Amino acid sequence: MAVRAPISLPPSRVLRLRSRSTWSDSLLPLEHLNQPLSSRPLVARAALPGSGSSGSNGPHAPSISPSSASSAIDFLTLCHRLKTTKRKGWINHGINHPESIADHMYLMALMALIAGDIPGLDRERCMKIAIVHDIAEAIVGDITPSDGVPKAEKSRREQEALNEMCKILGGGLRADEIQELWAEYENNSSMEASLVKDFDKVEMILQALEYETEHGKVLDEFFLSTAGKFQTDVGKSWAAEVISRRNKRSLSMPIKDAALLVQNNCLLHHGSVRSTGDAPGWRSLLLVRLAIFVSQKKRYQKSFCFIQENIENGAS
């Protein structure tokens, strides 16, 4: 078999080696490619800080210790509870198979991802805040206003839980970042935090609208509790769109279905608030809502007395 002669290259040509992100200043003459491997000069390849791709044990190639891997898995195992813990507000309203805490935070992160650009706003930070803002509920659970826990006490419990979770993670920069993001949201101390707080409310009323449609319920409580509380133009705009779609749905509903819907929900609320004595409040709320509905469908106004009587009987 014939042996091919080495390819001769002009000695003036050189090959510039490139690291992952920048051109290296190391130059390798191409004539060395004509030499046997044993005689070629060795050129070290630059590695990015923290990449671990270099074969050396220099300062830019930290190793992953078994203990840090263990801490990460312990932390993630704890966070798995966020996927299985259902949001209590929906459970209290009789929603079967409601969204989990993780479902809620994921959709908020998507909102941050798709929101239009706002001058001075860090959307990536918004996504991080959305992912972290309810993370302490992996330990304390979903504490709602119906639990009667004061806001300061709720915050204290969540801070204590977050501290424990960060210890499980092993501390360090990532744990510090989680603490910082959570505190930023809790204190509403930045433009990003304000927007994510609006996303928290938008996600809730959007989910309420979906449950009203799917389960035939009236979930006024969630819309009333968020009314007038949106801080940003994006939050106000998105909330207005959700409410507009809800109103269109209500107006397209047959009056008999609306009457039955309101009556059933009045009975449900009466059962859930019997211990608090708030049934008359719910009755008034539902009657006001029905009155508005009927007034917008004038041909059904004669039915109002009949519907009112059924609601009064159901809620008294």
Side-chain angles (χ1 to χ4, degrees):
M1 176 182 296
V3 179
R4 292 183 179 179
I7 300 174
S8 298
L9 297 173
S12 60
R13 292 184 58 193
V14 296
L15 174 66
R16 185 182 295 271
L17 295 183
R18 189 178 184 181
S19 69
R20 290 187 180 182
S21 61
T22 60
W23 287 104
S24 170
D25 291 332
S26 301
L27 301 178
L28 177 63
L30 287 181
E31 58 265 23
H32 288 297
L33 296 177
N34 295 326
Q35 302 174 4
L37 287 175
S38 59
S39 62
R40 292 181 190 175
L42 296 178
V43 179
R45 181 165 62 93
L48 290 176
S51 68
S53 60
S54 173
S56 67
N57 293 321
H60 298 306
S63 60
I64 304 300
S65 68
S67 60
S68 64
S70 177
S71 296
I73 297 304
D74 287 342
F75 177 80
L76 293 173
T77 299
L78 178 57
C79 289
H80 185 269
R81 296 180 187 177
L82 298 169
K83 296 168 61 178
T84 57
T85 303
K86 305 302 181 182
R87 299 250 287 165
K88 191 181 295 183
W90 308 126
I91 295 175
N92 292 343
H93 283 77
I95 303 296
N96 293 323
H97 310 296
E99 67 170 348
S100 68
I101 297 169
D103 292 333
H104 168 67
M105 294 194 296
Y106 172 72
L107 199 62
M108 287 175 60
L110 275 183
M111 290 177 180
L113 178 64
I114 68 172
D117 292 333
I118 300 175
L121 183 83
D122 185 342
R123 286 196 305 125
E124 182 178 342
R125 189 167 187 83
C126 288
M127 288 186 275
K128 289 182 178 181
I129 293 174
I131 294 171
V132 164
H133 83 286
D134 278 342
I135 197 170
E137 293 181 9
I139 292 179
V140 301
D142 184 18
I143 301 174
T144 67
S146 63
D147 294 320
V149 179
K151 185 176 180 180
E153 173 61 16
K154 177 178 180 291
S155 182
R156 186 198 66 78
R157 293 183 189 180
E158 292 181 348
Q159 180 67 76
E160 189 176 276
L162 188 66
N163 293 343
E164 180 62 28
M165 294 179 74
C166 288
K167 287 181 182 177
I168 292 173
L169 184 56
L173 294 177
R174 296 288 77 80
D176 291 344
E177 183 181 25
I178 290 173
Q179 289 272 14
E180 179 182 319
L181 292 167
W182 183 87
E184 185 175 327
Y185 178 85
E186 188 73 4
N187 299 323
N188 195 21
S189 59
S190 68
M191 184 191 306
E192 289 78 11
S194 296
L195 182 59
V196 177
K197 279 186 174 290
D198 277 3
F199 288 157
D200 183 60
K201 298 179 184 68
V202 170
E203 196 284 331
M204 184 174 70
I205 62 174
L206 178 58
Q207 187 65 74
L209 176 59
E210 292 178 0
Y211 286 150
E212 283 186 335
T213 304
E214 294 172 8
H215 299 276
K217 294 182 178 294
V218 174
L219 300 172
D220 283 305
E221 173 187 343
F222 299 95
F223 295 90
L224 292 172
S225 66
T226 58
K229 294 183 179 179
F230 294 94
Q231 307 173 72
T232 67
D233 290 340
V234 173
K236 292 173 184 177
S237 174
W238 289 14
E241 178 64 24
V242 174
I243 293 170
S244 174
R245 295 187 181 199
R246 184 182 189 232
N247 290 339
K248 289 178 182 178
R249 174 182 173 272
S250 297
L251 291 175
S252 65
M253 185 182 298
I255 191 65
K256 290 183 180 179
D257 293 345
L260 182 61
L261 178 64
V262 174
Q263 180 178 337
N264 288 344
N265 277 272
C266 195
L267 288 168
L268 171 64
H269 290 309
H270 177 54
S272 64
V273 301
R274 183 184 298 273
S275 60
T276 66
D278 194 37
W282 274 110
R283 180 173 60 222
S284 299
L285 171 65
L286 293 168
L287 285 173
V288 168
R289 174 166 169 74
L290 185 60
I292 294 173
F293 174 85
V294 173
S295 69
Q296 293 172 325
K297 286 195 162 188
K298 295 182 179 180
R299 66 182 183 277
Y300 293 122
Q301 287 181 350
K302 293 181 180 180
S303 304
F304 181 68
C305 291
F306 168 78
I307 299 168
Q308 180 179 11
E309 180 182 354
N310 277 272
I311 293 175
E312 293 286 354
N313 292 336
S316 60

